């Protein structure tokens, strides 16, 4: 007896073969879908990793840039503070030198003023005896200089002026009898040269010229 052909297989076997074929096709399709899904998920995972890496890199670069900017700003701020500190130190040093120089100048002026006063005092004492000049002090820091023997016709006539010594060592003419036109210019010379004796001599000469001019007019 010959074995049965394909066509002669029993119906059950054909159904089983068909079911197996269908199962294989379904399995192959499932495998293909799974493979495609795995590939897609792998690609997405790679993309996610790449994107995450890029984001991390961007964040890192941004933080690095921010840190550099903050360091640069702090460095600039430090430089400004250092420049301001140096400027203040230079200003303070310059001010200190100016104050020291002013102190030295004031000391020199005071020394010169005292020396001039001593010289003037000695010269005035000698001039007082020669010209019959009288010195008096009507108030603090004021000296009145009175002269006689100016008018040949009346030697008892008194001509006088009063000097005031200010706190800054300048002189002020607060009274002058009779008035002298050149008294202001003579006072200016006194404050420039601080020569009191010369100022007194010039004032007495001015009184003499005033009396001579008055005599001529008569």
């Amino acid at each position: 007896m010959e074995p049965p052909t394909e066509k002669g297989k029993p119906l059950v076997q054909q159904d089983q073969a068909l079911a197996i074929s269908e199962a294989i096709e379904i399995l192959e399709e499932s495998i293909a879908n799974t493979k495609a899904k795995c590939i897609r998920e792998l690609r997405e995972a790679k993309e996610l990793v790449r994107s995450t890496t890029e984001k991390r890199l961007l964040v890192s670069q941004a933080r690095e840039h921010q840190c550099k900017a903050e360091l640069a700003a702090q460095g600039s701020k430090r430089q400004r503070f250092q420049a301001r500190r140096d400027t203040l130190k230079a200003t303070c040093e310059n001010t200190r030198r100016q104050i020291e120089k002013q102190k030295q100048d004031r000391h020199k002026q005071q020394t010169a003023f005292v020396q001039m006063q001593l010289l003037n005092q000695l010269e005035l004492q000698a001039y007082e005896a020669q010209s019959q000049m009288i010195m008096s002090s009507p108030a603090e820091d004021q000296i009145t200089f009175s002269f006689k023997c100016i008018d040949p016709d009346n030697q008892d006539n008194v001509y006088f002026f009063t000097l005031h010594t200010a706190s800054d060592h300048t002189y002020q003419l607060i009274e002058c009898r009779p008035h002298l036109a050149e008294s202001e210019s003579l006072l200016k010379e006194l404050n420039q040269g601080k020569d009191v004796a010369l100022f007194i001599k010039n004032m007495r000469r001015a009184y003499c010229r005033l009396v001579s001019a008055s005599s001529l007019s008569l």
Side-chain angles (χ1 to χ4, degrees):
M1 182 175 179
E2 295 180 359
T5 62
E6 281 297 319
K7 292 182 179 182
K9 285 182 178 181
L11 182 59
V12 174
Q13 291 180 351
Q14 290 181 358
D15 291 341
Q16 290 178 350
L18 181 60
I20 292 172
S21 297
E22 290 177 352
I24 291 173
E25 289 179 359
I26 292 172
L27 182 60
E28 288 178 349
E29 184 178 357
S30 177
I31 292 173
N33 290 336
T34 302
K35 183 178 180 181
K37 181 180 179 182
C38 290
I39 293 173
R40 183 173 64 255
E41 289 179 352
L42 181 60
R43 186 182 297 112
E44 290 176 354
K46 289 182 178 179
E47 182 65 23
L48 180 61
V49 171
R50 186 183 65 80
S51 177
T52 303
T53 303
E54 289 180 352
K55 287 181 179 179
R56 287 181 179 177
L57 180 60
L58 290 174
V59 170
S60 178
Q61 290 176 345
R63 291 183 63 183
E64 182 181 1
H65 179 72
Q66 183 179 2
C67 290
K68 288 182 178 179
E70 290 178 356
L71 289 174
Q74 291 177 356
S76 178
K77 187 175 182 180
R78 180 183 179 186
Q79 289 178 352
R80 289 198 301 272
F81 276 117
Q82 287 179 341
R84 185 178 179 185
R85 180 199 62 188
D86 295 342
T87 300
L88 289 175
K89 287 177 65 177
T91 302
C92 291
E93 180 64 19
N94 187 41
T95 303
R96 186 191 65 79
R97 291 179 180 176
Q98 289 180 352
I99 293 174
E100 185 65 26
K101 186 177 184 301
Q102 289 175 356
K103 288 181 179 179
Q104 293 176 357
D105 292 342
R106 281 199 301 270
H107 179 71
K108 290 179 181 179
Q109 291 175 357
Q110 290 175 352
T111 302
F113 183 76
V114 171
Q115 291 175 347
M116 184 62 71
Q117 282 187 322
L118 291 174
L119 292 175
N120 287 333
Q121 185 175 2
L122 294 174
E123 190 170 356
L124 286 175
Q125 289 175 353
Y127 189 69
E128 185 177 8
Q130 294 176 0
S131 61
Q132 297 186 7
M133 179 183 68
I134 299 174
M135 292 186 296
S136 60
S137 180
E140 186 178 359
D141 296 327
Q142 293 183 8
I143 301 178
T144 297
F145 300 88
S146 303
F147 301 96
K148 292 184 178 180
C149 302
I150 297 292
D151 187 352
D153 297 331
N154 189 354
Q155 296 191 0
D156 290 332
N157 281 348
V158 178
Y159 300 79
F160 71 93
F161 62 88
T162 302
L163 276 180
H164 170 69
T165 306
S167 59
D168 59 352
H169 303 312
T170 59
Y171 296 99
Q172 299 172 358
L173 188 63
I174 61 175
E175 191 175 12
C176 182
R177 301 285 180 85
H179 175 71
L180 294 173
E182 59 262 53
S183 61
E184 291 185 4
S185 60
L186 294 176
L187 181 65
K188 184 177 180 180
E189 292 177 0
L190 170 62
N191 282 315
Q192 290 176 347
K194 305 298 182 183
D195 192 339
V196 178
L198 178 62
F199 174 76
I200 294 172
K201 292 177 183 179
N202 288 334
M203 289 290 287
R204 188 178 188 282
R205 291 173 187 145
Y207 282 134
C208 291
R209 287 194 297 270
L210 179 64
V211 171
S212 297
S214 299
S215 300
L216 292 175
S217 63
L218 296 175

